[in-house]
Amino acid sequence: MKRTTDKVAEQFETFQILDEEGKIVNEEAMPELSDDELKELMTRMVYTRILDQRSIALNRQGRLGFYAPTAGQEASQLGSQYALEQDDFILPGYRDVPQLIWQGLPLYKAFLFSRGHFKGNQMPEDVNAFSPQIIIGAQYVQTAGVALGLQKRNKDAVAITYTGDGGTSQGDFYEGMNFAGAFNSPAIFVVQNNQFAISTPVEKQTAADTLAQKAVAAGIEGIQVDGMDVLAVYAATKDARDRAVNGEGPTLIEALTYRYGPHTMAGDDPTRYRTEEMDNEWEKRDPLVRFRKFLEDKGLWSEDEENEIIEKAKEEIKAAVKEADNTPKQKVTDLIGNMYETLPQHLEEQMEEYKAKESK
Amino acid sequence: MAQMTMIQAITDGLRTELKNDENVLVFGEDVGQNGGVFRATEGLQDEFGEDRVFDTPLAESGIGGLSIGLSTQGFRPVPEIQFFGFVYEVMDSISGQMARMRYRSGNTVNMPITIRSPFGGGVHTPELHADSLEGLMAQQPGLKVVIPSNPYDAKGLIISSIRDNDPVIFLEHMKLYRSFRDEVPEEAYEVELGKAKVTREGTDVTLVAYGAMVQASVKAAEALEEQGISAEVIDLRTIAPMDVETVVESVKKTNRAVVVQEAQRQAGIASQVVAEIQERAILHLEAPVLRVAAPDTVYAFTQAEEIWLPNHNDIVEKVNDVINY
């Protein structure tokens, strides 16, 4: 007799368009993207890989603070963001800074977020997003609320959120999906399954065969995609978005991916829990390598173009660090001033106290 | 003017704001067709529609997240947590998220949310319904915590809370819901947040109280008057941020004070009141500031409420200690 869970898992086979050699394996699912759009996707992935390398280096030099590496996850992060419109609302986790940047957050602000400066969390007016969420799962329940809000305002927009494999064990993960399902709201829940929550492998999070099947508990659509395949991630997100704005409710997307670096730059050492074989195996699936092959076969990509982007990224990063350096230091009076619309008695007093200190 | 119980005054305040501002949304567990487990939202869904007043799945954390998300689209959420003992499920959404949002966004995002929730003892509820957990909320920067003690204040304070552009925790004492009626104006009016009220004037001792302990303090003051002691009763109304000015002004006049709360001694906000008084008026004090509070145990089993909850006799006793110090 078959287990019930086997039957469930059969419904969540990995969706893939591009194989590791850069060949199209699922022609009919191929999204409609122009040559320029395909090149733009590659440009963003290359840029973001460089941004990750530079961010790690800058962190080691003490020129950045909190940083959660992103290398390996470019397809999953940028493929999904590329399927969004400017009106969509992003609720990122702490590793999802690249999505914010490509939605319009200036690089220097991303660096200020890393350093711990409130100006890094001030989104530009046309970027509908919260700053990266540190409490794993909180972004999920909030997404249900943003999506219900968009629905009530009759906007043709979605709320999209991201968590990791470990995050699927949180109560808020389930509550968020379940609320969005019960209200039939336009939400996209992305799980970037990068195989590890710090040192804990996904097998220790759950006995479920896939994370996508957790959608079943909420009665919503679920799909597992090859998260190293930018076309598959884009197509799945685009489809989820189309259905959401058509009133067909939320979707859970599980993207199978991998982080090449440590969990964060705060002393995590992946060699303690990951084997070299595992790293090598996932490097073969690198989203940049396969998409580069795909574009080169179509005559759309060259080494020169790639180098040009790398140089551009490095220059812009340098300028952004400088701009972050030039941002005025925070004062206690700034922090007090950002607490309430009108200052209550006790903060009024403390404001005066710190104004006096700061003017010395 | 109409005679209203506190719960009617709250419903009236909610109706006033649902009418006044189309962004106001009322939601929670059973607040829609059912009109709430205490009838606080009775008739509101019929009047304003399911779009404005609606039920949610049974998950407090989800309700908190829903409120935060709705705020981003310009709504003014008024969610309900069925009993405040269930706040532990939604502590992150309240203290970890909405309270911090204005600050964390560098003053670019605000959360105009009013969380309504019943609490308070003396009505024989089962476990974790009556606990006084306002102290937890009062410790969180970014929140305002409001606790009305009578129908008039309840309506004015709920309206002010809903109109406030920062998150407010609005705690409704179950014993006060229907215990007495008050004259309540039919029109919209506000009672300013963060402002205490001198409920009863006096010259010998200041009683600082909130919630059901305001009535207990008034009752104690009446008993004390027979002893020839004149007690001034201050109703804090908003416990955070606290109106320290009004308290200190009174203490400077009476030179003695007792702080009264229903919460356990190690909880609530009485120690905060004591600290403020000693920092600002120590030279005016004829005696130490004493506290009336519940014992430091878990909230009483139903049948032990009467011997456990602080009452007017405890207040009279403590005042005598202060007077005879």
Side-chain angles (χ1 to χ4, degrees):
Chain A
M1 209 175 103
K2 260 191 152 186
R3 294 185 310 153
T4 330
T5 49
D6 288 335
K7 287 187 208 154
V8 171
E10 279 168 20
Q11 298 170 46
F12 295 92
E13 279 171 14
T14 313
F15 171 62
Q16 192 188 44
I17 293 177
L18 206 57
D19 71 8
E20 288 165 28
E21 302 310 315
K23 299 276 181 272
I24 300 292
V25 293
N26 189 348
E27 189 70 58
E28 66 186 90
M30 185 66 190
E32 283 174 36
L33 288 167
S34 68
D35 288 353
D36 282 349
E37 287 171 323
L38 291 170
K39 291 180 74 166
E40 176 63 16
L41 266 177
M42 185 63 186
T43 300
R44 291 180 179 201
M45 290 206 290
V46 170
Y47 192 110
T48 305
R49 179 67 60 87
I50 297 303
L51 177 61
D52 184 69
Q53 290 168 1
R54 291 301 303 142
S55 296
I56 288 171
L58 287 161
N59 169 282
R60 290 199 172 121
Q61 295 160 19
R63 302 188 72 191
L64 281 185
F66 173 77
Y67 183 69
T70 59
Q73 299 189 197
E74 292 86 356
S76 125
Q77 295 183 321
L78 309 180
S80 55
Q81 187 277 330
Y82 200 62
L84 303 179
E85 300 292 335
Q86 200 61 38
D87 282 346
D88 295 338
F89 199 106
I90 305 181
L91 295 98
Y94 52 76
R95 203 181 300 282
D96 302 311
V97 175
Q99 292 96 307
L100 293 178
I101 291 170
W102 291 109
Q103 194 77 2
L105 179 73
L107 207 46
Y108 85 96
K109 281 187 181 262
F111 290 158
L112 286 174
F113 161 76
S114 163
R115 289 177 177 185
H117 193 300
F118 73 85
K119 284 190 182 292
N121 287 8
Q122 292 174 326
M123 293 291 145
E125 253 178 43
D126 67 331
V127 177
N128 302 305
F130 281 156
S131 45
Q133 180 57 248
I134 297 296
I135 302 303
I136 295 170
Q139 69 272 36
Y140 263 56
V141 281
Q142 293 169 13
T143 295
V146 176
L148 181 61
L150 294 168
Q151 184 181 0
K152 281 183 175 296
R153 297 292 189 206
N154 293 316
K155 286 192 187 164
D156 280 334
V158 301
I160 186 168
T161 189
Y162 298 83
T163 193
D165 39 305
T168 63
S169 301
Q170 291 277 2
D172 276 357
F173 168 78
Y174 292 97
E175 287 187 30
M177 285 194 304
N178 188 59
F179 267 58
F183 290 113
N184 196 43
S185 303
I188 303 174
F189 297 99
V190 182
V191 170
Q192 299 185 80
N193 177 358
N194 67 17
Q195 318 303 320
F196 286 90
I198 307 188
S199 66
T200 307
V202 64
E203 296 78 31
K204 288 190 178 168
Q205 296 294 341
T206 178
D209 296 306
T210 70
L211 298 178
Q213 76 197 59
K214 286 173 184 278
V216 175
I220 66 171
E221 283 298 314
I223 180 172
Q224 186 186 66
V225 303
D226 180 345
M228 307 300 259
D229 170 1
V230 73
L231 295 178
V233 175
Y234 173 83
T237 315
K238 180 82 169 51
D239 181 54
R241 191 186 183 284
D242 288 346
R243 281 184 291 104
V245 295
N246 285 332
E248 292 169 50
T251 303
L252 173 67
I253 300 173
E254 176 193 8
L256 294 171
T257 183
Y258 200 70
R259 62 166 154 85
Y260 297 146
H263 163 65
T264 67
M265 295 306 293
D268 176 44
D269 172 12
T271 63
R272 291 164 69 103
Y273 53 86
R274 258 178 3 204
T275 60
E276 210 173 308
E277 291 78 57
M278 195 175 186
D279 285 348
N280 291 339
E281 192 196 316
W282 278 94
E283 267 167 38
K284 276 188 227 148
R285 305 185 205 171
D286 191 311
L288 273 66
V289 172
R290 74 170 82 169
F291 200 52
R292 187 184 292 118
K293 282 182 189 160
F294 167 76
L295 291 179
E296 280 171 353
D297 286 350
K298 286 173 77 88
L300 291 174
W301 200 252
S302 69
E303 209 180 324
D304 285 351
E305 274 173 286
E306 184 151 337
N307 285 333
E308 215 172 283
I309 290 153
I310 293 170
E311 284 318 304
K312 182 167 177 263
K314 286 180 177 168
E315 267 169 44
E316 289 183 1
I317 290 165
K318 212 186 224 175
V321 169
K322 204 167 174 195
E323 195 166 355
D325 289 345
N326 291 337
T327 304
K329 280 187 182 156
Q330 302 168 99
K331 292 182 291 206
V332 176
T333 48
D334 295 328
L335 307 182
I336 292 174
N338 287 344
M339 283 301 301
Y340 294 93
E341 184 175 49
T342 345
L343 285 188
Q345 276 181 29
H346 67 292
L347 282 180
E348 194 88 69
E349 281 181 16
Q350 290 166 36
M351 184 67 113
E352 289 312 311
E353 195 183 311
Y354 280 93
K355 260 187 197 162
K357 278 189 190 177
E358 287 165 11
S359 64
K360 268 179 199 166
Chain B
M1 290 283 227
Q3 286 281 323
M4 288 188 199
T5 59
M6 190 169 94
I7 196 143
Q8 287 169 334
I10 290 167
T11 312
D12 197 46
L14 292 171
R15 183 181 294 111
T16 304
E17 286 315 277
L18 278 162
K19 215 179 279 178
N20 170 56
D21 183 347
E22 61 180 18
N23 295 314
V24 172
L25 301 176
V26 170
F27 53 91
E29 297 158 8
D30 313 295
V31 304
Q33 202 49 52
N34 191 45
V37 291
F38 292 103
R39 303 282 168 267
T41 54
E42 190 162 66
L44 298 181
Q45 191 181 68
D46 281 344
E47 193 175 342
F48 298 98
E50 270 187 72
D51 227 31
R52 306 282 308 283
V53 181
F54 53 93
D55 292 323
T56 66
L58 204 168
E60 286 76 19
S61 188
I63 292 171
L66 204 65
S67 310
I68 292 167
L70 284 166
S71 297
T72 67
Q73 302 307 311
F75 288 105
R76 204 167 271 280
V78 189
E80 177 183 294
I81 301 298
Q82 203 160 63
F83 294 94
F84 206 56
F86 311 163
V87 72
Y88 296 115
E89 294 283 350
V90 61
M91 278 294 276
D92 179 58
S93 277
I94 299 174
S95 297
Q97 306 291 330
M98 64 180 79
R100 304 166 61 99
M101 197 63 85
R102 186 186 284 277
Y103 172 92
R104 82 186 286 263
S105 68
N107 212 351
T108 59
V109 180
N110 70 301
M111 297 275 120
I113 300 167
T114 301
I115 298 180
R116 289 184 42 251
S117 189
F119 80 109
V123 291
H124 305 300
T125 50
E127 197 172 14
L128 266 171
H129 283 55
D131 294 55
S132 289
L133 303 173
E134 70 279 6
L136 298 174
M137 298 290 113
Q139 290 212 3
Q140 175 59 52
L143 292 179
K144 293 179 181 173
V145 186
V146 174
I147 306 182
S149 71
N150 60 74
Y152 178 89
D153 283 354
K155 179 174 172 183
L157 287 168
I158 190 78
I159 292 175
S160 299
S161 299
I162 294 172
R163 293 180 183 178
D164 199 277
N165 285 327
D166 291 305
V168 177
I169 310 298
F170 191 87
L171 297 175
E172 305 167 2
H173 199 292
M174 284 184 272
K175 201 178 175 190
L176 299 177
Y177 266 157
R178 294 182 172 88
S179 61
F180 63 98
R181 285 172 190 273
D182 216 357
E183 286 287 322
V184 177
E186 272 154 56
E187 68 273 14
Y189 62 92
E190 292 189 42
V191 169
E192 194 183 342
L193 303 187
K195 281 277 177 280
K197 178 170 81 178
V198 180
T199 298
R200 188 184 195 276
E201 289 197 16
T203 51
D204 299 330
V205 61
T206 299
L207 297 176
V208 183
Y210 58 95
M213 289 299 110
V214 175
Q215 261 197 316
S217 298
V218 170
K219 203 170 169 190
E222 283 161 3
L224 287 162
E225 197 166 69
E226 286 171 24
Q227 291 179 36
I229 298 166
S230 163
E232 177 149 301
V233 179
I234 292 178
D235 179 356
L236 285 175
R237 301 196 291 198
T238 299
I239 61 151
M242 197 191 295
D243 181 1
V244 175
E245 261 174 44
T246 301
V247 172
V248 168
E249 207 177 301
S250 173
V251 171
K252 284 182 178 169
K253 180 176 74 177
T254 62
N255 311 117
R256 289 180 169 84
V258 171
V259 188
V260 188
Q261 68 179 21
E262 181 175 316
Q264 294 89 338
R265 199 176 161 86
Q266 71 187 47
I269 53 128
S271 45
Q272 183 71 15
V273 181
V274 175
E276 294 288 354
I277 295 171
Q278 79 84 19
E279 277 190 23
R280 294 163 198 267
I282 196 161
L283 293 176
H284 294 268
L285 289 174
E286 299 281 353
V289 181
L290 300 184
R291 289 174 287 168
V292 172
D296 285 326
T297 70
V298 167
Y299 187 89
F301 284 104
T302 313
Q303 294 197 324
E305 270 188 323
E306 245 169 72
I307 55 163
W308 188 86
L309 283 169
N311 61 29
H312 63 281
N313 290 326
D314 301 315
I315 303 169
V316 169
E317 218 170 277
K318 213 53 103 172
V319 168
N320 277 306
D321 290 350
V322 168
I323 298 285
N324 301 319
Y325 179 77

